[in-house]
Amino acid sequence: MMVVTSPRVLVFTFCLFVGSISVTWSKYIIHSCGTSGNYTNNSTYEQNLDRALATLFTTANSSNSGFYNASVGEDLDRVYTLVLCRNDFQPDVCRSCVNDSINRIRELCPNQNEAVEWYDECTLRYSNRLLLNNVETQPIWSYSNINNSTDVSQFNQDLRKLVDNLKLQATEQKFATGNISGPDLSTIYGLMQCSPDLSSTQCNDCFDMVIGELSLCCSGSIGRQIFNPSCKLIYETTHFFNEPTPVDAPPPRQQLSPPTSPSMPPGKDNNTMRTVIISVVGISGVAMLLLVLFCIFKRKTKHRITTGRLQQGTVEDISSVESLQYDFSTVEFATNNFSDSNKLGEGGFGAVYKGTFKNGQEVAVKRLSRGSVQGEEEFKNEIILVAQLQHRNLVRLLGFCLEGTERLLIYEFVPNASLDHVIFDPVKSSHLDWERRYKIIGGVARGILYLHEDSRLRIIHRDLKAGNVLLDGEMNPKIADFGMARLFNLDETQGITNRIVGTYGYMAPEYALYGQFSVKSDVFSFGILLLEIVSGQKNHSFQNGEIIGDLASFAWINWREGTASNVIDPILRNSSGSVHEMMRCIHIGLLCVQEDVGDRPTMASVVLMLNSFSLTLAVPSEPAFMMQGSFVPEVPLFSDNVNSGVSNVNKNSTE
């Protein structure tokens, strides 16, 4: 008869063994999967990555240096890897962290060409570009203790002295620890480390970046970690570091069996040894089995708790990203007290302002309207989701402010406003040649693919439109506005809601009519957006001569009749751009807006179709029409009065 053991009994039994078993746990912090693209399964790059990580593991287990690197392959398939342990941890802790990070990095960043993974004990990196002797200051992460000093001014002054002293040492020695007396009889302990392959000048520059973060957030916080791929700064009011471990000492020899006692007869010694080995193996086996069961139970429990918290979007969720929190006074000063001269636009969420911090960094600040019926839940949702996303085609969340009735989101400043301000403007659109438009199409596709498949979370945007695609100084697209986004478990594919949010004209019909949404909902919106970029006209108010209707139906009729070139923006028809590429994009757009959800491609397929012209495209079926033969306008619930700006905030949306 099978005995079912409850999780509590497993935990209790595990605790009986844990005292006699030495297990080293590495403390995972965060990771970033980079933006240099993906590799395919069983490719040469993947094989080289496997070999490089294996070499890294072998090297770490044969040396106590705490800094290891390896490279495997040639040309574009070459993989570079390195790992750096904190100097104050013992070699066995370092090796354990190296092992843990190697085992986990492929799970966290599947098929990514580059990745970086931070633990408390070590940092692991791999890439298809040279890592050694190159300082890397992005992405930068910051986590702070939620408690503040009672004497903020004095604490900041003492902390600055400590940091300056540590910087002088760590710039030359690559690692430094120290302490200084703080206010209220406290002691501030600090640690700074720089990758040992970098020059003193490079380390100095890297440290300047992390120190600069101190003035941007959480003044007076009694503990903080700031780090990027090349260096880190940690300070606490408790003694958190160990004495640095000497490097390059030979690893201890492993004794495979204890020495034979001269007073013990050989036969008895062998029997004793056999008994000991059998006992150790038996106990270890049982302990490992319980350990595995315990880990599975804990992991499932943690997953359920984490997923639940993210989907609920409660205020407590924000504590997980409190390191991104800004003082209201800091943001107020940066925006010149939210002056009208700094105002970039306004939408259903509230106003958007341009701000400039004291270090010269420009930002875009969303300020939640106090009387808005929208925004509170979207505000929390956006923080929780966007803070965990890192991709070149997603707008980057720098921080937030939650103080009294104030709700602020601080984003990177994107100078060329949103796509709808350019593509639908007769004058501005003339500056968007086909090469730029094709670049925008590809960037948006990669950004959505990242949300659907390549990020640590599976996210459905639910409000993809031209107004939510921002353009940077190089006209690279950045997807914005995640207030409507929904988080999915990685094994989930669709959901149903009775709270319809988004923008009519971009909504998939199954979502607008029945509340059913999936990754294919975003695919539909992308198809509409693609057709708009090619035609230069809005989907809901398309006009070609005397013909007025929706763009998708017009494109379908012309594609079926072999006159799809009628869809192309007149500005592009006589340009040097590839008409073949334009026609292919129209074809891809029609595949995305098909009525049957199953007929629409995934974003992975879309990216492949955009990049591989040798790939034969399927024949699209008739698009999904909300009302056959009738014009369906883009219906807003909130006013659309954004004149210009960096981020259109949930405008033209419905709840």
Side-chain angles (χ1 to χ4, degrees):
M1 180 177 66
M2 180 177 294
V3 178
V4 180
T5 306
S6 70
R8 290 186 179 181
V9 173
L10 288 176
V11 173
F12 173 74
T13 309
F14 168 75
C15 292
L16 295 178
F17 285 93
V18 76
S20 60
I21 303 172
S22 177
V23 180
T24 302
W25 296 95
S26 301
K27 182 181 178 182
Y28 168 78
I29 300 177
I30 203 166
H31 73 280
S32 174
C33 295
T35 58
S36 64
N38 301 345
Y39 62 80
T40 56
N41 291 329
N42 300 318
S43 63
T44 302
Y45 189 87
E46 182 180 39
Q47 295 171 10
N48 290 340
L49 177 58
D50 289 337
R51 292 169 56 197
L53 291 175
T55 302
L56 205 63
F57 175 80
T58 302
T59 305
N61 280 272
S62 61
S63 168
N64 287 349
S65 70
F67 177 70
Y68 315 100
N69 68 89
S71 64
V72 175
E74 300 293 336
D75 301 325
L76 297 178
D77 290 319
R78 187 165 188 175
V79 179
Y80 301 88
T81 63
L82 65 80
V83 64
L84 172 63
C85 293
R86 251 177 54 182
N87 282 20
D88 59 316
F89 283 110
Q90 294 295 322
D92 60 333
V93 177
C94 174
R95 280 189 283 271
S96 178
C97 184
V98 173
N99 182 52
D100 291 345
S101 59
I102 289 175
N103 288 335
R104 194 175 186 186
I105 191 67
R106 304 290 290 279
E107 175 186 347
L108 295 173
C109 297
N111 299 91
Q112 296 288 321
N113 283 337
E114 65 177 355
V116 56
E117 183 184 16
W118 288 274
Y119 286 76
D120 196 37
E121 300 86 353
C122 68
T123 301
L124 171 69
R125 300 169 61 192
Y126 76 79
S127 178
N128 55 355
R129 55 188 174 83
L130 185 64
L131 298 179
L132 286 176
N133 306 315
N134 287 317
V135 64
E136 193 77 41
T137 58
Q138 294 294 333
I140 187 167
W141 300 95
S142 178
Y143 296 90
S144 67
N145 192 308
I146 60 175
N147 298 315
N148 286 341
S149 172
T150 56
D151 188 346
V152 173
S153 177
Q154 185 61 48
F155 185 90
N156 290 341
Q157 183 178 342
D158 295 335
L159 174 62
R160 188 68 196 202
K161 291 179 181 178
L162 173 63
V163 168
D164 288 342
N165 289 334
L166 292 176
K167 178 186 172 184
L168 288 175
Q169 300 177 52
T171 297
E172 297 299 328
Q173 302 173 12
K174 316 306 181 189
F175 183 85
T177 59
N179 63 79
I180 192 172
S181 296
D184 301 324
L185 302 179
S186 66
T187 302
I188 309 174
Y189 299 88
L191 178 151
M192 294 184 76
Q193 184 173 24
C194 181
S195 189
D197 58 302
L198 301 180
S199 66
S200 298
T201 300
Q202 289 174 314
C203 286
N204 184 76
D205 293 341
C206 191
F207 287 142
D208 284 343
M209 289 289 293
V210 296
I211 293 173
E213 290 290 309
L214 289 176
S215 60
L216 297 179
C217 177
C218 306
S219 176
S221 173
I222 62 172
R224 192 166 182 81
Q225 287 196 46
I226 308 173
F227 51 87
N228 58 41
S230 293
C231 62
K232 67 172 60 178
L233 162 64
I234 308 173
Y235 73 86
E236 292 282 353
T237 54
T238 57
H239 194 291
F240 65 90
F241 53 79
N242 308 299
E243 290 302 317
T245 302
V247 299
D248 294 328
R253 292 183 177 272
Q254 300 292 325
Q255 289 186 324
L256 300 180
S257 60
T260 302
S261 172
S263 60
M264 185 178 294
K268 187 175 181 179
D269 177 57
N270 291 337
N271 290 335
T272 302
M273 280 300 299
R274 187 180 296 109
T275 302
V276 170
I277 292 173
I278 293 174
S279 300
V280 170
V281 171
I283 293 175
S284 299
V286 174
M288 288 303 295
L289 176 61
L290 292 172
L291 182 60
V292 170
L293 292 174
F294 174 76
C295 291
I296 292 174
F297 167 71
K298 290 293 288 182
R299 183 171 183 177
K300 287 185 176 180
T301 302
K302 181 179 180 181
H303 177 72
R304 287 196 298 268
I305 293 173
T306 302
T307 302
R309 289 182 62 196
L310 286 172
Q311 290 178 330
Q312 289 297 319
T314 61
V315 175
E316 285 75 11
D317 292 329
I318 298 177
S319 64
S320 64
V321 287
E322 74 269 355
S323 61
L324 300 175
Q325 189 164 3
Y326 284 70
D327 292 329
F328 179 75
S329 58
T330 301
V331 184
E332 188 177 36
F333 179 81
T335 58
N336 192 21
N337 197 23
F338 300 100
S339 66
D340 289 340
S341 60
N342 281 33
K343 194 172 184 178
L344 298 170
E346 190 166 356
F349 181 100
V352 184
Y353 298 87
K354 181 180 179 181
T356 306
F357 288 128
K358 292 181 180 179
N359 64 353
Q361 182 182 20
E362 294 181 323
V363 296
V365 180
K366 285 186 184 180
R367 190 182 194 186
L368 174 64
S369 300
R370 298 182 184 182
S372 174
V373 296
Q374 186 194 24
E376 178 91 13
E377 183 175 343
E378 283 73 17
F379 173 80
K380 302 166 189 173
N381 196 26
E382 203 157 350
I383 293 172
I384 298 164
L385 293 179
V386 184
Q388 302 178 66
L389 303 177
Q390 292 289 325
H391 191 275
R392 65 184 301 176
N393 296 119
L394 303 181
V395 67
R396 188 160 64 98
L397 178 70
L398 302 177
F400 70 96
C401 176
L402 181 59
E403 192 169 311
T405 60
E406 293 290 347
R407 304 288 188 271
L408 308 175
L409 290 172
I410 298 97
Y411 283 98
E412 63 176 316
F413 178 71
V414 184
N416 283 323
S418 55
L419 177 61
D420 62 335
H421 285 89
V422 181
I423 197 70
F424 301 137
D425 186 288
V427 177
K428 295 179 181 178
S429 62
S430 62
H431 300 295
L432 276 183
D433 57 20
W434 176 244
E435 182 180 357
R436 287 192 176 95
R437 297 192 196 200
Y438 196 68
K439 180 181 179 181
I440 292 170
I441 292 170
V444 173
R446 288 190 296 272
I448 295 297
L449 173 60
Y450 172 81
L451 294 177
H452 288 181
E453 299 184 21
D454 296 337
S455 67
R456 186 164 59 91
L457 308 169
R458 171 172 287 175
I459 295 173
I460 298 174
H461 190 279
R462 295 205 299 173
D463 199 22
L464 179 63
K465 57 184 178 181
N468 286 340
V469 176
L470 311 182
L471 301 174
D472 68 10
E474 302 298 323
M475 303 302 285
N476 295 306
K478 291 180 178 290
I479 301 169
D481 266 330
F482 290 85
M484 307 297 184
R486 280 295 295 269
L487 170 69
F488 268 52
N489 294 331
L490 292 178
D491 56 351
E492 291 182 318
T493 57
Q494 62 182 7
I496 298 177
T497 182
N498 57 5
R499 182 171 178 265
I500 308 300
V501 295
T503 305
Y504 289 124
Y506 292 88
M507 285 186 193
E510 71 276 2
Y511 177 51
L513 294 175
Y514 309 113
Q516 299 172 352
F517 62 93
S518 66
V519 291
K520 296 297 185 70
S521 307
D522 281 350
V523 172
F524 181 92
S525 301
F526 174 80
I528 297 295
L529 177 61
L530 191 157
L531 293 175
E532 288 184 332
I533 294 174
V534 175
S535 67
Q537 296 200 48
K538 294 182 179 181
N539 176 56
H540 62 84
S541 57
F542 177 81
Q543 181 171 358
N544 184 273
E546 297 182 354
I547 301 175
I548 299 177
D550 67 279
L551 175 57
S553 59
F554 181 82
W556 159 253
I557 293 171
N558 279 272
W559 184 86
R560 185 181 59 187
E561 296 178 355
T563 57
S565 59
N566 291 338
V567 182
I568 299 174
D569 191 333
I571 296 174
L572 301 176
R573 292 176 191 171
N574 299 321
S575 68
S576 59
S578 171
V579 176
H580 174 68
E581 286 182 354
M582 301 176 201
M583 300 286 281
R584 186 176 177 87
C585 282
I586 295 172
H587 193 160
I588 295 172
L590 289 172
L591 289 173
C592 292
V593 298
Q594 294 178 104
E595 186 169 11
D596 192 325
V597 176
D599 290 341
R600 297 175 205 158
T602 63
M603 288 310 302
S605 298
V606 170
V607 171
L608 182 60
M609 287 187 283
L610 289 170
N611 293 328
S612 177
F613 292 95
S614 61
L615 185 68
T616 303
L617 303 184
V619 177
S621 60
E622 189 173 5
F625 296 124
M626 294 291 294
M627 296 174 63
Q628 291 287 350
S630 299
F631 163 56
V632 183
E634 181 180 1
V635 182
L637 179 63
F638 300 100
S639 60
D640 177 11
N641 54 359
V642 177
N643 298 318
S644 63
V646 173
S647 183
N648 295 340
V649 278
N650 301 332
K651 61 173 185 169
N652 299 338
S653 300
T654 180
E655 296 259 345

